[in-house]
Amino acid sequence: MIHYLTLKSRERTELIDITARVEELIAAAHTTSGCCDVFVLHTTAGITVNEGADPAVKRDISTCLDRLVPDAHYFTHAEGNSAAHVKASMIGVSQRLLIDKGKLLLGTWQALYLCEFDGPRERRVAVRICSAKLLQQEKH
Ligand code: ZN
């Protein structure tokens, strides 16, 4: 079964911690062990895992990506947000994570992020939780 998260970004570029939101879905599915696919349904946003402890890290990632991919005169996309499309492809649209003891299996400092590159906007993220038990239920 696929679940959907709806999030509102507030900045043009920002990383939004979605770890707790995904873990709420895992808890609601009563899944203790398995895996989880997290996929953003947009072309100017991405999904990544990085440090969740010091908020300076997510700001530095945003700043660095903005400097690596500035708005450029040679972009031809009429909507004018090619830099956001490029950054989304650099980061990627999805992550597969492991579930252990009912939580995402993450390192001490890791968090799961939606990366906004063309905000502020409303964003949708699809989450599919997989476990042996859930796969058995889907067969019936
Ligand atoms: Zn566009």
Side-chain angles (χ1 to χ4, degrees):
M1 183 176 163
I2 297 172
H3 308 268
Y4 296 92
L5 295 176
T6 302
L7 299 114
K8 280 200 173 105
S9 60
R10 288 172 296 187
E11 309 286 334
R12 173 100 195 267
T13 304
E14 68 176 314
L15 272 64
I16 300 170
D17 189 337
I18 60 169
T19 312
R21 297 280 306 271
V22 173
E23 287 186 335
E24 281 169 21
L25 296 175
I26 293 166
H30 306 291
T31 301
T32 53
S33 178
C35 63
C36 177
D37 289 306
V38 181
F39 182 90
V40 67
L41 295 155
H42 303 276
T43 59
T44 54
I47 299 285
T48 196
V49 172
N50 213 297
E51 169 150 348
D54 180 1
V57 174
K58 65 179 185 178
R59 282 197 303 273
D60 289 348
I61 292 170
S62 295
T63 304
C64 188
L65 288 168
D66 283 343
R67 294 185 75 159
L68 280 170
V69 189
D71 288 316
H73 65 88
Y74 50 77
F75 287 149
T76 56
H77 175 45
E79 200 185 6
N81 61 353
S82 281
H85 288 289
V86 172
K87 286 179 262 189
S89 277
M90 288 168 72
I91 292 295
V93 290
S94 68
Q95 290 284 323
R96 169 165 284 187
L97 297 150
L98 300 175
I99 299 166
D100 187 42
K101 300 184 179 91
K103 299 227 169 230
L104 293 173
L105 181 60
L106 292 166
T108 307
W109 308 112
Q110 288 180 317
L112 176 65
Y113 288 103
L114 165 73
C115 306
E116 174 62 77
F117 298 120
D118 197 26
R121 282 177 190 242
E122 188 169 287
R123 298 300 197 175
R124 286 199 343 137
V125 175
V127 179
R128 182 162 189 262
I129 297 163
C130 307
S131 70
K133 197 176 107 193
L134 288 174
L135 289 173
Q136 204 66 25
Q137 286 171 1
E138 283 182 7
K139 281 185 191 166
H140 299 290

